[in-house]
Amino acid sequence: MEVQKIYDAKERLKGHIKKTPLVKAANLGEDVYLKVEVLQDTGSFKLRGAYNKIATLTPEEASKGVIACSAGNHAQGVAKSATERGIKSIICMPLHAPISKVEATKNYGAEVLLVPETFDDAAAKAQELVKEKGYTFIAPFNDEEVIAGQGTIGLEILEDLPDCDIVVVPIGGGGLISGVALAVKSLRPSCKVIGVQTKAVPSMYESKKAGKITGVKGGSTIADGISVKVPGEITFGLVEKYVDEIVLVDENEISSAILTLLEKDKIVTEGAGATPVAALMYNKFEHEGKKVCCLLSGGNIDVTRIAKVINKGLFKTKRSAEYKVILNDQPGELSKLTRLFEENKANINQIRQSPDTHADAIDAMKVNVVVSTKDEEQQRQIEEDLRKHGYSFEKK
């Protein structure tokens, strides 16, 4: 694949997508910048690739209508792009896709087909309908025109930050990083391109390590947008050629990054979109003295999950802690315990008390206390006081 495809895509996308801002994030480091693709129409970079692919269809392909399978961002990108060009679109989505994403896809003009049970079932249904109805399939990542559309982000980054040293990009199937890496390496070969995957679904990481496409079993992850078990052939080839390194982040690190971006930078990101910041925050790659750009790929987080994510982030950053303390079930004992937390200026958010049926003492009670704290030092002081007063406890 040649970089000219990305320049062609840039021309094609003019007037149909936003050039998203690049903002400095002083809270993350002296020379850290954020490419805020969460502000793209549909809330995700996926619009670029979807529009570019649909705009390059032949009249015959377009007349058949287009079909895609997606749990969210690709669905919305295809639906909006097809509607804008007067093309019928059908999106196969897993039955348990978030209602907000299903409704958003419908609102962009697509016909949504909910398929029991999983994403793989939705993908199989889409292929079945391609054969049965003749629809034109719009791949989510393993397509050169899709990759070219995503690659326009790389051109924009270097337009705004021509001396960038490192670009950090989320990886799922590899469409985004393939295009960005091709663009960046063509214009600035010295600039490193680092990919980020979740430890739960490290398919491209394992593939790069093995030197061949390698599937993974996968697991549950907040970064559902990059939960791809097998990379594409085209994307793997481009990653092999242009991506310098792939690193992994875990669920707590991703949650912490979402919280940091929300609290410090006032930016709402989904799990996948926050992975580059998670990699930066937890030093997954060498960046001292370097000018770094983290690509925030999307902001379509399900609102029902935000509270869970914030809670995880608070625990990871030592702003919350839970202690299981063993008490004697005697008048005044619980009051003494709560006073200890009060004296350490820790706010009690939740407290649960129940008999400790496994203890030798008949009057033993276990008390679970969730507290808000400033930092790790405050938590250490609390634990020191608990020991000093003779409490048996565990920190969860």
Side-chain angles (χ1 to χ4, degrees):
M1 180 175 168
E2 300 298 322
V3 72
Q4 185 58 46
K5 274 188 174 289
I6 299 176
Y7 284 103
D8 293 343
K10 184 182 177 183
E11 289 302 310
R12 220 172 271 125
L13 292 174
K14 279 183 179 175
H16 301 285
I17 58 115
K18 293 176 182 173
K19 180 182 177 181
T20 51
L22 191 77
V23 299
K24 192 166 186 178
N27 60 294
L28 294 171
E30 186 177 340
D31 262 327
V32 176
Y33 298 80
L34 306 174
K35 177 62 170 171
V36 193
E37 195 66 7
V38 302
L39 296 178
Q40 188 55 260
D41 290 343
T42 75
S44 159
F45 75 96
K46 287 284 190 178
L47 178 64
R48 296 173 183 257
Y51 189 90
N52 190 55
K53 175 63 179 178
I54 289 172
T56 57
L57 296 179
T58 65
E60 183 185 359
E61 289 170 328
S63 68
K64 294 175 180 177
V66 297
I67 190 168
C69 59
S70 169
N73 291 340
H74 182 56
Q76 293 172 61
V78 171
K80 186 177 190 302
S81 301
T83 298
E84 192 173 318
R85 296 187 70 84
I87 298 170
K88 177 184 178 180
S89 63
I90 299 91
I91 311 294
C92 295
M93 302 182 79
L95 182 63
H96 301 297
I99 296 296
S100 59
K101 292 185 177 181
V102 173
E103 290 305 310
T105 304
K106 288 179 179 177
N107 289 339
Y108 284 122
E111 177 187 328
V112 173
L113 183 60
L114 294 175
V115 182
E117 289 275 339
T118 67
F119 176 80
D120 290 337
D121 296 320
K125 184 64 177 178
Q127 292 299 336
E128 179 187 317
L129 290 172
V130 167
K131 292 176 184 175
E132 184 183 322
K133 304 286 189 180
Y135 299 132
T136 300
F137 184 69
I138 308 297
F141 51 82
N142 199 45
D143 181 285
E144 288 194 358
E145 297 300 348
V146 170
I147 292 167
Q150 324 302 26
T152 58
I153 298 173
L155 300 180
E156 290 180 12
I157 288 171
L158 291 184
E159 282 172 13
D160 292 339
L161 195 67
D163 55 347
C164 184
D165 296 310
I166 302 172
V167 178
V168 194
V169 187
I171 304 181
L176 175 60
I177 198 168
S178 296
V180 170
L182 174 56
V184 167
K185 289 294 188 180
S186 299
L187 290 171
R188 185 170 165 79
S190 64
C191 182
K192 282 192 171 182
V193 179
I194 294 176
V196 190
Q197 285 203 297
T198 166
K199 286 181 179 178
V201 196
S203 55
M204 191 69 84
Y205 174 86
E206 293 296 340
S207 297
K208 190 167 174 63
K209 190 167 73 171
K212 62 180 181 179
I213 293 175
T214 303
V216 297
K217 185 178 180 182
S220 176
T221 176
I222 182 64
D224 56 296
I226 53 173
S227 181
V228 177
K229 295 177 184 178
V230 183
E233 290 182 19
I234 300 170
T235 58
F236 174 69
L238 290 167
V239 166
E240 278 278 81
K241 189 172 182 181
Y242 295 112
V243 174
D244 296 282
E245 185 181 357
I246 299 175
V247 299
L248 302 177
V249 291
D250 66 29
E251 299 302 294
N252 287 330
E253 289 164 344
I254 298 168
S255 296
S256 178
I258 293 172
L259 178 61
T260 296
L261 287 162
L262 183 63
E263 189 173 32
K264 303 292 186 183
D265 301 286
K266 316 308 176 192
I267 298 171
V268 177
T269 52
E270 59 192 84
T275 55
V277 170
L280 178 80
M281 287 172 59
Y282 292 98
N283 298 309
K284 303 293 182 174
F285 59 93
E286 178 57 47
H287 56 83
E288 188 175 350
K290 302 295 184 182
K291 195 163 282 191
V292 181
C293 176
C294 293
L295 201 172
L296 309 184
S297 57
N300 292 323
I301 188 168
D302 186 351
V303 292
T304 62
R305 304 187 81 181
I306 290 179
K308 293 178 184 177
V309 170
I310 290 173
N311 197 42
K312 262 187 171 291
L314 288 171
F315 274 86
K316 178 66 178 175
T317 56
K318 309 301 181 185
R319 307 264 298 284
S320 283
E322 181 174 356
Y323 296 98
K324 185 176 81 172
V325 186
I326 304 302
L327 294 182
N328 288 325
D329 189 16
Q330 301 292 334
E333 289 300 311
L334 184 58
S335 177
K336 288 178 189 176
L337 178 63
T338 58
R339 194 176 306 119
L340 183 148
F341 286 108
E342 180 186 342
E343 288 168 355
N344 278 281
K345 296 182 171 57
N347 187 51
I348 296 175
N349 294 325
Q350 188 180 100
I351 189 163
R352 303 188 309 277
Q353 183 176 346
S354 60
D356 190 349
T357 54
H358 300 290
D360 292 333
I362 192 69
D363 290 330
M365 299 291 291
K366 59 183 178 184
V367 180
N368 287 72
V369 187
V370 179
V371 294
S372 292
T373 56
K374 289 187 296 184
D375 51 27
E376 192 169 9
E377 177 56 37
Q378 188 181 10
Q379 291 185 13
R380 277 198 292 264
Q381 184 60 52
I382 289 168
E383 289 151 29
E384 188 179 314
D385 271 12
L386 286 168
R387 292 187 195 97
K388 187 170 73 176
H389 287 82
Y391 288 108
S392 173
F393 71 93
E394 291 178 18
K395 183 179 178 182
K396 298 177 75 175

